[in-house]
Amino acid sequence: MSKIIEPLRGVHDVLPAQAPAWQFLERVTREVFSAYGYEECRVPIIEQTHLFKRSIGDFTDIVEKEMFSFLDQGGDSITLRPEATAGMVRAVISNGLLRESRLRLWCMGPMFRRERPQAGRFRQFHQIDAEAFGFEGPDIDAELIVLSARLLRRLGLSRLKLLINSLGTPASRLVYREQLGLYFGAHEAALDEDSKRRLKGNPLRILDSKNPEMQRIVAGAPLMIDSLDTESKEHFAALCAYLRDAGIEYDVEPHLVRGLDYYTRTVFEWTTDALGSQSAVCAGGRYDGLVAQLGGADTPGIGWAMGQERIIMLLDKLGIATMRERPHVYLVMAGTSGEGLGFKIAENLRENVPNLRVQLNLGGGSLKTQFKRADKSGAEFALVLGEDEISRGIVALKSLRREQAQEECVLAQLNERLGVLLGLSPTRSGS
Ligand code: ATP
Ligand code: MG
């Protein structure tokens, strides 16, 4: 026997037992986006490497060490998307969508980062992503946060914490950056290697360090909120007022900067204490300069991304059950004539009883074996086509879950009868 092939490190299959939770998350996501007038926009998984370098920034974890990049056969440098914003911005620019001036978009799918795999941190993971373009005011910031809150609530996740902060305009950020440079410069000897490098490149990044030693130094660093320009202050105050009006609790976290370079003004993060150190489940912010930076007309933007694996882990942890889908009926058939007839009946049912789930016994077997399979399938009813039933033009209906007398049904009335028994309505009767 040849050796089995293992999946890559940090990459996972979603097996049938887990699929219902994913489908639940995806269904609720679609419903909530549609309730707010957001439209889906699917962007490619591979893009040119420099798209991410130019947007995410050189001194970020992602660009410094996490990107899956390779040269293709034509010598082009290609990267598996580590996040969706860069691709979404590229898409609205290269497809001319910004002519509509205001866009509310979302997407979801796999992202790739070469991180050290651990609980809640993978190399292929999935994000739900929301982006809005062309809105300057704090109302869109509030809408996006309120939308994320509704999504989390609809999923049954209510005990999450919302952290918010403002990074100001590029100009006020520059002032802050200088202050931070001075502060961390004075502590240079105590900085770790990453932070030393970032001190030269972009000292703001040090605030985002996960090293507890660095976090102690960060605790004494000057606060962005003290260097905010007046407009950013007003923007932030208005956002806070919207959130309070919407009944959304938040904490202002003055050192929250987020891992990407492109953010301006509002940044936020939803966190949980139920997943150990992988505490962020959703994060985002405003990126007013990014569209222009990537060659588009100067257009404000704001968005967030939610980690689907972390949400699924929370659903699991909180025992929010999602049921595996079971067939409604399982067809048990005797002999070759039964099999031929059964195949036809099953197709007829699928055609005429919308949403009915029919599983056919394939590959023969004694009636006893077939009943065992029927039971294992989780079906509500076994539909039995024995020799006797076939000769009489009927089918026997046997409940597999309830104490209920077996009944017989003529083929012509099967659709209707099953519709009644299962609370589904057939479009046409007869077999
Ligand atoms: P972290 O601080 O946990 O590294 P991040 O700041 O790198 O997160 P973002 O780039 O903001 O994360 O991505 C948004 C969300 O995507 C995160 O809040 C998290 O839920 C999820 N996420 C990010 N990286 C991973 C990963 N490697 N595996 C699983 N989920 C992830
Ligand atoms: Mg990260």
Side-chain angles (χ1 to χ4, degrees):
M1 219 170 22
S2 43
K3 207 167 160 253
I4 59 167
I5 298 174
E6 299 289 348
L8 293 171
R9 239 163 79 73
V11 163
H12 295 277
D13 302 299
V14 174
L15 300 174
Q18 299 144 354
W22 285 81
Q23 289 170 356
F24 168 63
L25 170 56
E26 289 162 7
R27 178 170 51 77
V28 174
T29 298
R30 288 197 177 90
E31 286 170 8
V32 172
F33 276 124
S34 122
Y36 284 80
Y38 284 63
E39 294 178 293
E40 188 175 5
C41 176
R42 302 185 189 188
V43 294
I45 284 170
I46 51 175
E47 297 270 4
Q48 299 186 48
T49 298
H50 71 92
L51 168 67
F52 302 112
K53 287 202 170 157
R54 244 165 82 186
S55 56
I56 297 171
D58 284 334
F59 294 93
T60 58
D61 280 348
I62 294 182
V63 171
E64 274 184 340
K65 49 193 176 197
E66 296 174 357
M67 293 207 301
F68 277 101
S69 301
F70 59 95
L71 290 180
D72 75 358
Q73 289 83 340
D76 293 324
S77 180
I78 299 217
T79 293
L80 300 181
R81 63 182 186 192
E83 52 111 53
T85 303
M88 291 286 255
V89 173
R90 200 266 313 128
V92 299
I93 298 171
S94 57
N95 293 289
L97 297 190
L98 289 170
R99 278 195 296 271
E100 285 180 39
S101 79
R102 290 168 150 222
L103 296 164
R104 289 175 165 97
L105 305 174
W106 70 274
C107 71
M108 94 183 130
M111 308 293 156
F112 304 83
R113 296 184 195 177
R114 203 172 186 292
E115 308 201 56
R116 190 169 67 78
Q118 50 195 296
R121 195 173 288 287
F122 312 104
R123 289 185 171 178
Q124 174 172 339
F125 62 100
H126 298 74
Q127 284 183 341
I128 296 161
D129 182 79
E131 312 288 350
F133 297 96
F135 301 87
E136 265 169 47
D139 44 2
I140 191 77
D141 308 33
E143 178 178 279
L144 274 163
I145 293 176
V146 168
L147 189 162
S148 66
R150 182 175 300 281
L151 174 53
L152 294 166
R153 218 164 44 237
R154 281 277 309 274
L155 294 166
L157 305 173
S158 51
R159 294 207 318 275
L160 296 167
K161 202 168 175 173
L162 173 65
L163 307 175
I164 59 172
N165 191 25
S166 175
L167 301 179
T169 57
S172 61
R173 230 173 108 163
L174 213 60
V175 176
Y176 180 54
R177 196 169 144 157
E178 271 161 30
Q179 290 176 355
L180 274 187
L182 289 175
Y183 172 81
F184 286 121
H187 291 81
E188 189 165 0
L191 295 182
D192 61 15
E193 285 312 305
D194 272 352
S195 302
K196 276 190 183 133
R197 205 174 50 251
R198 287 165 182 189
L199 176 58
K200 296 200 186 67
N202 181 358
L204 259 119
R205 296 265 58 79
I206 304 175
L207 298 180
D208 212 26
S209 169
K210 298 217 167 57
N211 178 349
E213 304 272 316
M214 293 308 103
Q215 281 166 8
R216 261 194 295 282
I217 303 176
V218 163
L223 303 180
M224 178 68 218
I225 227 120
D226 297 331
S227 334
L228 276 191
D229 53 286
T230 317
E231 270 184 49
S232 295
K233 258 188 201 149
E234 284 168 9
H235 188 103
F236 192 60
L239 166 64
C240 293
Y242 271 114
L243 293 179
R244 281 195 302 273
D245 282 352
I248 296 195
E249 285 177 34
Y250 59 85
D251 284 343
V252 177
E253 168 54 63
H255 282 137
L256 181 71
V257 291
R258 309 275 321 108
L260 319 174
D261 266 359
Y262 49 58
Y263 288 117
T264 50
R265 292 199 174 154
T266 310
V267 286
F268 61 93
E269 202 165 279
W270 285 99
T271 64
T272 170
D273 50 18
L275 295 180
S277 54
Q278 267 48 265
S279 61
V281 296
C282 176
R286 186 169 266 284
Y287 48 83
D288 289 343
L290 185 60
V291 178
Q293 193 179 314
L294 291 177
D298 199 4
T299 309
I302 175 166
W304 55 248
M306 190 177 282
Q308 289 182 246
E309 279 78 3
R310 292 188 193 174
I311 296 286
I312 301 278
M313 287 166 79
L314 273 181
L315 293 175
D316 265 3
K317 198 144 198 158
L318 301 176
I320 299 172
T322 38
M323 296 288 285
R324 245 171 124 164
E325 208 166 69
R326 306 292 185 188
H328 291 114
V329 296
Y330 188 98
L331 245 89
V332 168
M333 306 157 292
T336 3
S337 55
E339 281 171 10
L341 184 58
F343 208 96
K344 274 195 214 135
I345 292 176
E347 276 301 287
N348 184 282
L349 286 170
R350 295 179 187 120
E351 180 79 15
N352 296 308
V353 189
N355 301 322
L356 180 71
R357 299 187 294 270
V358 186
Q359 205 171 98
L360 206 49
N361 183 78
L362 295 182
S366 68
L367 282 186
K368 193 169 159 216
T369 309
Q370 294 193 40
F371 269 110
K372 266 195 198 148
R373 290 186 193 139
D375 194 44
K376 204 169 155 220
S377 77
E380 286 282 319
F381 290 96
L383 254 169
V384 191
L385 273 177
E387 271 151 24
D388 175 47
E389 283 86 5
I390 298 170
S391 66
R392 291 165 53 211
I394 59 150
V395 52
L397 279 169
K398 181 176 160 53
S399 171
L400 296 169
R401 309 289 142 204
R402 260 168 275 185
E403 286 295 327
Q404 197 172 310
Q406 178 166 320
E407 58 177 274
E408 293 183 346
C409 181
V410 292
L411 285 179
Q413 268 152 30
L414 184 60
N415 294 352
E416 228 114 338
R417 185 64 193 138
L418 276 177
V420 170
L421 285 171
L422 294 161
L424 305 165
S425 43
T427 49
R428 254 186 288 149
S429 57
S431 269

